[in-house]
Amino acid sequence: MLEALDQYDRDYNYSVAWIDALAKGDKLGSGVLTLGNAAKLSDLPEKLKVHPLKLHAAGKLAVPFFLPSFALNGLSVRLLNRVIAFVQNSPKEFVHYEKFFFPLDAINNWNKGYGKRGFIQYQFVIPEDNGRNNLREILEMIAVSGCTPFLNVFKRMGEGQGILSFPFKGYTLAIDFPVTKTLLTFTPKLDAKVLSAGGRLYLGKDALLQESTFKAMYPRYEEWLTIKQRYDPENRFSSNISRRLGLDVR
């Protein structure tokens, strides 16, 4: 997968991969890599030249109710992974940008598939240096965690900017986990592994990160606190995540 990303990086502006997070052994890291470039109007067949940027109506497929908690298990996820692999690996030459960038929008209320317990999306980025070995260890941890990883997105990331900016040049994986008691004991171990690999978590999706781990992942947090103190000394702007991570003026 990593070799394919390197090989096609120069020829395609857009690349995204799906990985079978339950795969082990020789199948570890197997998945489907999707590549694309923006098409010109002249590139399109005649039937697609009419309103090529028109938004589609809402999808007819929908999850009608919250599925029971046992619906997503090792067996059902393996079956769904086969379906996803088949769909992802059966591309058309031209795909509307909606379907390319927002594939889940084709299914209404898809979040109900996780049941009333809900889910978290765990996204991390790690450096390219030793990235292959670190990704292997992380995927091995996930595969044997018992946390039933489901939908995921794997990408190569470029440079970021900003004091609390998430991106930097490396590999990023966003993966959905249904909320369980096992998950609450597993994520700190995964956090520690990501940190030891020189990586960090995406704060925009975080729900469980501990303050000490956050501060190790984002060493410029003190610059943020200095700015916060200057412009909001009474701490009027606050949130659950800022209080949890120690980003409020104290």
Side-chain angles (χ1 to χ4, degrees):
M1 181 68 74
L2 300 185
E3 290 170 359
L5 279 171
D6 290 339
Q7 178 181 351
Y8 294 110
D9 189 54
R10 295 180 296 273
D11 299 323
Y12 292 91
N13 289 326
Y14 304 101
S15 62
V16 61
W18 166 84
I19 292 176
D20 183 354
L22 290 177
K24 302 175 184 178
D26 293 340
K27 296 292 185 180
L28 188 76
S30 60
V32 180
L33 174 62
T34 302
L35 305 155
N37 286 319
K40 298 178 181 179
L41 187 62
S42 58
D43 296 331
L44 300 177
E46 292 301 319
K47 65 179 181 179
L48 295 181
K49 288 182 178 180
V50 181
H51 305 302
L53 301 180
K54 182 180 179 180
L55 295 176
H56 295 85
K60 295 181 180 180
L61 293 176
V63 180
F65 52 83
F66 287 102
L67 296 181
S69 58
F70 59 80
L72 277 182
N73 53 59
L75 177 60
S76 64
V77 169
R78 283 186 173 87
L79 292 173
L80 288 169
N81 279 345
R82 293 199 173 194
V83 173
I84 292 171
F86 175 78
V87 173
Q88 293 279 14
N89 204 26
S90 304
K92 297 180 180 179
E93 183 179 3
F94 296 98
V95 179
H96 193 279
Y97 69 88
E98 278 185 290
K99 293 182 179 180
F100 188 92
F101 291 114
F102 313 108
L104 275 182
D105 286 358
I107 304 175
N108 296 319
N109 302 321
W110 57 267
N111 58 296
K112 290 184 177 180
Y114 293 96
K116 291 185 178 181
R117 62 188 175 180
F119 71 99
I120 68 165
Q121 186 173 96
Y122 187 98
Q123 183 168 2
F124 65 86
V125 58
I126 59 173
E128 290 182 345
D129 291 343
N130 204 33
R132 181 187 297 266
N133 291 332
N134 286 325
L135 280 173
R136 176 178 293 277
E137 292 178 12
I138 289 172
L139 288 174
E140 287 174 345
M141 288 178 64
I142 292 173
V144 301
S145 67
C147 291
T148 320
F150 188 37
L151 296 173
N152 66 81
V153 174
F154 178 66
K155 298 179 181 178
R156 194 174 186 179
M157 189 166 278
E159 297 291 349
Q161 57 183 342
I163 297 173
L164 296 181
S165 178
F166 166 68
F168 60 71
K169 192 173 183 181
Y171 302 111
T172 181
L173 176 67
I175 187 167
D176 290 359
F177 291 104
V179 174
T180 61
K181 292 181 180 179
T182 304
L183 179 66
L184 301 182
T185 58
F186 173 61
T187 53
K189 300 175 184 177
L190 197 54
D191 296 344
K193 176 57 189 174
V194 170
L195 177 60
S196 69
R200 57 192 178 209
L201 270 60
Y202 183 17
L203 300 182
K205 298 177 181 177
D206 172 58
L208 302 172
L209 189 61
Q210 298 175 356
E211 179 178 343
S212 58
T213 309
F214 154 72
K215 290 181 175 179
M217 289 178 172
Y218 287 85
R220 296 183 65 189
Y221 75 91
E222 291 182 344
E223 296 179 51
W224 165 259
L225 290 175
T226 299
I227 296 171
K228 173 80 166 164
Q229 177 68 53
R230 183 187 310 160
Y231 293 104
D232 185 26
E234 297 182 4
N235 207 46
R236 294 179 180 272
F237 293 93
S238 181
S239 66
N240 286 339
I241 190 172
S242 69
R243 290 187 289 273
R244 173 164 52 86
L245 299 182
L247 286 173
D248 279 355
V249 176
R250 299 176 181 178

